């Protein structure tokens, strides 16, 4: 499991009952006791319903309450008390006209202190503690929008804390709960039923204590498992060779980790057998490693497992002799990303941050486009993803001669030309970076740039909050990760963080900061490089 946000500052779990029925009352520890907690089974929603984007926006990242002051209404004070750092993690449900179905019962009987299990694609993907319940249509509309057909929004809102992500197959758990997969509706599992089935969930999470400190069914509280957050991951990545002298530092660790991330993205097993590691990773080290340094596949096995990111099976910690490591091949030695690191790196933003940090910190003088292609991460070489829009501008055939690549007609994601026209009209073709309006014979010219690219693996949305109006030069630089936008809306060079200009923003153009953060992560923006210091 991966802690995504510590909401322990909310020591009191409030029941905000503005139209919602909340029956729970906190115990002396600041929440309902484990014996009375229920499960709220919450479908995340499909991509068509923007479920992944909403989850990333309002649960994984959280929303800044200050950005929604106009919609908080009577709940402003209570939410401020629950989330004293000003970042709220929220999820909501649309109302139902029925009274006896599963959703109606869950909306009516869930309470503060209950545990929410998020569900997607026949998998439980996260859990969280309900810190508050509220009914606020204005806030829901501001955070998640309103369905144009039904005019409904997620107005029955849960304020969440202790959010933890994981991946557990849901079919056996739903079957044990007498539910037929897939889970299609918000549903409630009563406390007694939850207690009987806790082991089905927690037994698959490495034996760690569930949120709230409940027993996992064996009569005692399970020992907590050490967790890794995104900050821990970045610190570990940024200090791979901190304990080595300058002359002994190599690129082997960063190259091996990129290879392992590529393996994770392709769906291969987290741990690779020794012979597979040698055949796949060793050529990468030989081609892109530090010139003049002898390359051995044994080195990453021994060096990386001290980083907290790497796991080795079949090689004892005392086997520092390379020959002893090689001798372990016959005993089934395997190595790869640690379980916690792998779970984090399955998240799109954490993965983009990691790749950007590794490339910027350790691999600035190698052909990163070629390297990322070789390790199966070709789409991360630019902001558009695979099959970038600019591929034929410089006369290069970016698919010819590359391993495993071929031309595919019509492979680019569709772009809504109405949005393209709207962003250009809004800025009157003025580049948001330099202010230039490229003059043509019949008017002016500009280009619409997606901040989080539409192409794989970025899979950004085609919406105006994910668009910029740029001149051709700055579009190419933005798309090839030469420039990024910092937290204060300054445009900076990726190579050294030097300021280029302040991004021009029209008052009617609401740019979503989560897309800017994703692009910045790909660039290895300066706040990620600072992790190393």
């Amino acid at each position: 499991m991966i802690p995504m946000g510590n909401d322990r500052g909310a020591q009191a779990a409030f029941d905000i009952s503005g139209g919602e029925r909340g029956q729970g009352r906190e115990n002396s520890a600041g929440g309902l006791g484990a014996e009375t907690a229920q499960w709220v089974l919450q479908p995340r929603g499909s991509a068509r319903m923007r479920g992944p984007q909403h989850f990333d926006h309002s649960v994984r990242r959280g929303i800044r309450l200050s950005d929604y002051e106009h919609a908080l209404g009577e709940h402003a004070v209570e939410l401020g008390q629950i989330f004293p750092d000003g970042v709220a993690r929220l999820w909501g449900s649309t109302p139902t006209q029925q009274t006896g179905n599963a959703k109606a019962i869950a909306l009516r009987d869930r309470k503060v202190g209950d545990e929410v299990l998020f569900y997607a694609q026949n998998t439980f993907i996260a859990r969280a503690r309900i810190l508050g319940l509220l009914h606020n249509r204005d806030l829901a509309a501001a955070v998640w929008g309103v369905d144009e057909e039904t005019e409904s929004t997620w107005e029955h809102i849960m304020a969440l804390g202790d959010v933890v992500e994981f991946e557990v197959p849901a079919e056996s758990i739903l079957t044990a709960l007498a539910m037929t997969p897939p889970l299609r509706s918000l549903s409630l599992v009563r406390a007694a039923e939850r207690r009987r089935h806790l082991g089905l969930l927690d037994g698959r999470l490495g034996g760690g204590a569930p949120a709230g400190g409940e027993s996992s069914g064996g009569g005692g509280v399970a020992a907590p498992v050490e967790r890794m957050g995104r900050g821990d991951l970045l610190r570990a990545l940024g200090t791979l060779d901190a304990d080595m002298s300058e002359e002994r530092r190599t690129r082997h660790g960063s190259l091996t980790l990129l290879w392992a991330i590529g393996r994770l993205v392709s769906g291969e097993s987290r741990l690779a057998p020794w012979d597979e590691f040698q055949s796949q990773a060793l050529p990468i080290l030989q081609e892109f490693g530090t010139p003049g340094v002898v390359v051995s596949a044994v080195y990453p096995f021994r060096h990386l497992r001290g980083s907290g990111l790497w796991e080795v099976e079949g090689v004892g910690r005392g086997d520092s002799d390379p020959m002893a490591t090689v001798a372990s091949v016959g005993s089934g030695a395997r190595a790869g990303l640690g379980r916690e690191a792998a779970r984090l790196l399955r998240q799109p933003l954490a993965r983009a941050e990691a790749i950007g940090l590794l490339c910027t910190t350790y691999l600035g003088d190698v052909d990163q486009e070629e390297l990322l292609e070789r390790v199966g991460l070709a789409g991360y070489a630019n902001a558009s993803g695979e099959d970038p829009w600019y591929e034929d501008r410089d006369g290069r055939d970016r698919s010819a001669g590359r391993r495993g690549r071929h031309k595919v007609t019509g492979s680019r994601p569709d772009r809504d030309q109405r949005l393209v026209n709207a962003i250009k009209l809004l800025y009157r073709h003025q580049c948001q970076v330099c202010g230039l309006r490229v003059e043509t014979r019949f008017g002016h010219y500009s280009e619409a740039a997606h901040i989080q690219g539409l192409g794989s693996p970025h899979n950004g949305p085609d919406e105006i909050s994910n668009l910029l109006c740029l001149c051709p030069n700055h579009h190419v630089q933005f798309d090839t990760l030469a420039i990024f936008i910092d937290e204060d809306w300054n445009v900076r060079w990726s190579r050294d963080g030097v300021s280029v200009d302040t991004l021009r923003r029209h008052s009617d153009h609401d740019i979503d900061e989560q897309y800017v953060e994703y692009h910045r992560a790909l660039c290895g923006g300066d706040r990620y490089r600072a992790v190393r210091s």
Side-chain angles (χ1 to χ4, degrees):
M1 291 183 291
I2 305 164
M4 296 171 7
N6 184 0
D7 297 299
R8 292 293 185 185
Q11 287 298 313
F14 291 90
D15 173 19
I16 309 174
S17 53
E20 196 83 25
R21 181 181 176 184
Q23 299 176 344
R25 290 293 180 267
E26 61 265 54
N27 61 18
S28 59
L32 280 177
E35 294 299 305
T36 60
Q38 305 174 107
W39 268 337
V40 178
L41 306 186
Q42 174 68 68
R44 183 199 61 188
S46 65
R48 183 182 62 82
M49 300 169 62
R50 296 185 54 77
Q53 291 95 326
H54 289 327
F55 183 87
D56 186 66
H57 172 54
S58 66
V59 177
R60 179 177 289 133
R61 301 166 183 269
I63 66 162
R64 293 190 182 93
L65 292 175
S66 59
D67 293 340
Y68 296 89
E69 287 182 352
H70 64 286
L72 296 178
E74 62 181 316
H75 300 123
V77 174
E78 291 92 340
L79 285 172
Q81 291 175 306
I82 293 176
F83 302 105
D85 63 352
V87 177
R89 302 182 192 279
L90 305 177
W91 194 259
S93 299
T94 57
T96 176
Q97 299 302 315
Q98 301 184 43
T99 58
N101 65 350
K103 180 177 182 179
I105 293 171
L107 288 175
R108 183 191 69 207
D109 293 345
R110 64 186 177 177
K111 55 186 179 296
V112 169
D114 284 347
E115 185 176 60
V116 182
L117 296 183
F118 284 93
Y119 171 95
Q121 298 177 328
N122 207 28
T123 302
F124 286 117
I125 61 169
R127 63 181 174 189
R129 185 69 57 187
I130 298 180
L131 301 181
L133 294 167
L134 57 145
H135 188 185
N136 189 324
R137 179 178 172 83
D138 290 341
L139 178 58
V143 175
W144 301 296
V146 176
D147 186 282
E148 293 182 359
E149 295 183 6
T150 65
E151 297 186 352
S152 62
T153 187
W154 297 1
E155 59 196 69
H156 297 283
I157 299 175
M158 298 181 290
L160 303 174
D162 298 326
V163 181
V164 177
E165 282 196 69
F166 52 79
E167 292 181 7
V168 170
E171 184 170 0
S172 61
I173 298 175
L174 292 176
T175 301
L177 294 169
M179 297 180 180
T180 302
L183 181 69
R184 299 188 183 280
S185 172
L186 183 72
S187 301
L188 187 71
V189 177
R190 303 293 182 179
E193 190 77 359
R194 173 178 177 270
R195 288 196 301 273
R196 280 197 297 272
H197 296 291
L198 266 176
L200 285 175
L201 178 66
D202 295 315
R204 302 186 183 194
L205 297 175
E214 303 98 310
S215 165
S216 58
V221 177
V225 175
E226 185 177 353
R227 310 299 182 201
M228 175 183 286
R230 272 173 50 204
D232 301 322
L233 175 71
L234 294 178
R235 278 187 291 274
L237 289 170
T239 55
L240 287 177
D241 51 10
D243 59 343
M244 301 180 66
S245 60
E246 190 67 37
E247 60 272 13
R248 292 183 60 224
R249 293 178 181 175
T250 71
R251 305 177 187 140
H252 294 170
S254 53
L255 290 170
T256 300
L257 288 170
L258 279 178
W259 169 80
I261 295 171
R263 183 181 175 87
L264 191 73
V265 168
S266 68
E268 297 183 70
S269 59
R270 180 172 55 87
L271 301 180
W274 177 273
D275 57 350
E276 198 171 311
F277 183 88
Q278 283 187 302
S279 64
Q280 294 182 10
L282 185 56
I284 302 295
L285 301 180
Q286 290 171 332
E287 183 172 349
F288 297 96
T290 305
V293 175
V294 177
V295 177
S296 169
V298 174
Y299 173 76
F301 262 67
R302 292 187 293 130
H303 178 63
L304 279 177
R305 64 180 173 183
S307 67
L309 302 168
W310 195 251
E311 184 177 327
V312 181
E313 289 183 355
V315 179
R317 286 197 171 271
D319 296 340
S320 58
D321 181 5
M323 294 310 296
T325 304
V326 173
S328 300
V329 174
S331 63
R334 300 191 305 161
L337 292 166
R339 191 176 302 276
E340 289 298 312
R343 284 178 176 164
L344 278 169
L345 289 166
R346 289 189 180 99
Q347 301 175 17
L349 177 59
R351 184 163 62 246
E353 288 174 335
I355 294 168
L357 176 60
L358 287 170
C359 288
T360 305
T361 305
Y362 306 102
L363 304 167
D365 55 349
V366 305
D367 185 341
Q368 293 185 11
E369 186 176 7
E370 177 67 22
L371 168 61
L372 291 173
E373 176 108 21
R374 287 285 303 278
V375 298
L377 298 170
Y380 290 93
N382 60 77
S384 291
E386 296 180 8
D387 192 24
W389 64 271
Y390 59 86
E391 62 184 352
D392 57 356
R393 284 196 165 208
D394 56 4
R396 294 177 59 189
D397 183 352
R398 298 178 185 270
S399 59
R402 291 298 182 87
R403 183 174 305 181
R405 296 292 297 276
H406 60 278
K407 290 279 189 183
V408 179
T409 302
S411 62
R412 294 185 179 92
D414 291 334
R415 291 159 56 103
D416 189 335
Q417 190 60 39
R418 293 171 301 178
L419 297 178
V420 171
N421 294 339
I423 195 72
K424 293 179 180 181
L425 180 63
L426 184 64
Y427 285 94
R428 299 172 59 85
H429 295 286
Q430 184 182 42
C431 176
Q432 289 181 248
V433 174
C434 64
L436 177 68
R437 298 173 72 216
V438 178
E439 188 170 352
T440 67
R441 180 181 178 185
F442 301 106
H444 293 87
Y445 176 81
S446 61
E447 295 177 349
H450 283 89
I451 304 169
Q452 180 172 337
L454 299 186
S456 174
H458 311 311
N459 302 318
D462 193 19
E463 56 187 38
I464 202 161
S465 62
N466 189 33
L467 281 175
L468 297 175
C469 179
L470 300 178
C471 68
N473 284 350
H474 282 120
H475 191 180
V476 171
Q477 290 177 336
F478 188 85
D479 224 43
T480 56
L481 309 179
I483 57 176
F484 68 92
I485 303 167
D486 70 14
E487 298 91 332
D488 298 318
W489 302 100
N490 297 308
V491 181
R492 297 185 179 276
W493 290 108
S494 298
R495 63 173 180 264
D496 52 19
V498 171
S499 178
V500 176
D501 209 329
T502 298
L503 189 75
R504 292 158 174 81
R505 290 184 292 161
H506 193 283
S507 59
D508 292 333
H509 185 200
D510 184 16
I511 303 172
D512 196 319
E513 293 185 36
Q514 66 175 317
Y515 307 137
V516 176
E517 182 180 12
Y518 184 90
H519 179 272
R520 184 165 61 238
L522 289 175
C523 296
D526 56 355
R527 75 184 178 108
Y528 302 122
R529 287 202 298 273
V531 170
R532 197 164 185 241
S533 61

